[in-house]
Amino acid sequence: MADRSIPFTAPMVRALIAGTKTQTRRLTGVPTIEEVAGFGWHVHNKAGGVMNVDAHNIGKVAAELLPIQPGDRLWVREAWQTTPSLDHLNATQIAAACAEAGWKRPWAPLLFNADGKKRGSAEEWNGEDVGRRRSGRFMPRWASRLTLTVTEVRAERLRDISEADAIAEGVERDSDGWRDYLMPSTQCCVTARASYRTLWEAINGPGAWKANPWVASYTFTVEQRNIDEVSPYGARQE
């Protein structure tokens, strides 16, 4: 088992918090899968090896090669801010300052952009405004507030997603229908699957749905706690 970080956009962070998102699909780490005339399907591993696989077993073989496996824990990276007095420090420098002060764990007042929630008491904020916005790419492990435990891993074509899976992806719904992530202010989608198509293209660009790539599909449980507070640490960090 391993601990890894995983980034999410603000709408998906809100869906994780609401409990409506229990799946995510990713392109990263998916092995190269190709159909070779006269030889069937080839699945390539990281070592450069090639496995000849029949069409029925492609997903099973590819899933075993994915970088994330059942039992792995994922700590969520999201956009964040702290106080202006810390704006001159990056996450590593904040952690170093905490260590120098003798703290067992890094700490800083935090605001999470996805929902505006703050971490830290009024005394810790000390009346300060919110500092500069920091990308989720630079969120450190100690600042994460959401932990996912992977329960199922699949490798499949993007457009094989079912209506139930699209709902599990956390797409939003209101009284008018499912959200259109490409034109959120003017249109709604009839199905969750159609909504997910717009979400995928909003993230990956025009034509990304039509390309129908192989993706890694991860199902998980969500805990609204820092990964080091979820259970005694024992997993390998990556």
Side-chain angles (χ1 to χ4, degrees):
M1 295 186 293
D3 289 352
R4 304 173 183 274
S5 65
I6 187 168
F8 282 97
T9 62
M12 295 299 100
V13 169
R14 292 193 291 272
L16 290 170
I17 292 171
T20 58
K21 185 173 181 65
T22 57
Q23 285 187 13
T24 187
R25 282 160 174 74
R26 304 283 165 142
L27 293 167
T28 304
V30 179
T32 299
I33 302 170
E34 58 183 349
E35 187 174 14
V36 181
F39 293 93
W41 288 89
H42 284 181
V43 179
H44 299 250
N45 61 34
K46 288 184 178 180
V50 177
M51 288 173 281
N52 196 327
V53 183
D54 62 77
H56 181 70
N57 289 310
I58 297 170
K60 178 181 178 181
V61 171
E64 293 174 351
L65 298 175
L66 293 175
I68 297 172
Q69 292 294 315
D72 287 355
R73 302 188 306 172
L74 311 175
W75 53 273
V76 174
R77 292 184 188 265
E78 57 177 297
W80 59 297
Q81 293 167 266
T82 185
T83 58
S85 61
L86 295 176
D87 277 353
H88 66 293
L89 300 177
N90 60 33
T92 301
Q93 291 168 332
I94 292 174
C98 290
E100 187 175 346
W103 297 359
K104 291 183 178 180
R105 288 186 57 194
W107 178 265
L110 298 178
L111 179 142
F112 302 97
N113 293 139
D115 59 1
K117 293 288 181 65
K118 284 185 175 181
R119 188 186 80 176
S121 66
E123 290 77 16
E124 288 165 327
W125 279 92
N126 195 28
E128 288 192 78
D129 293 328
V130 178
R132 62 182 174 87
R133 186 180 186 278
R134 300 173 187 243
S135 168
R137 290 185 301 159
F138 304 114
M139 172 173 271
R141 178 185 173 113
W142 57 262
S144 177
R145 59 171 170 167
L146 295 169
T147 303
L148 318 179
T149 300
V150 179
T151 58
E152 182 183 0
V153 172
R154 301 192 311 241
E156 59 191 15
R157 301 301 287 265
L158 173 65
R159 284 158 54 184
D160 286 342
I161 186 172
S162 67
E163 182 73 0
D165 285 340
I167 293 173
E169 278 276 0
V171 291
E172 298 171 90
R173 186 178 189 176
D174 58 28
S175 58
D176 296 323
W178 298 95
R179 179 178 176 184
D180 185 327
Y181 290 86
L182 293 173
M183 303 181 68
S185 62
T186 59
Q187 294 188 20
C188 292
C189 300
V190 176
T191 66
R193 190 173 181 276
S195 175
Y196 183 73
R197 177 187 64 79
T198 68
L199 174 63
W200 184 266
E201 292 206 336
I203 295 172
N204 296 287
W209 176 264
K210 184 178 180 180
N212 197 25
W214 286 90
V215 295
S217 170
Y218 301 117
T219 301
F220 48 79
T221 59
V222 183
E223 292 197 58
Q224 296 186 40
R225 292 188 291 171
N226 181 273
I227 188 169
D228 294 319
E229 299 171 349
V230 170
S231 61
Y233 180 72
R236 172 172 52 89
Q237 296 187 63
E238 292 195 6

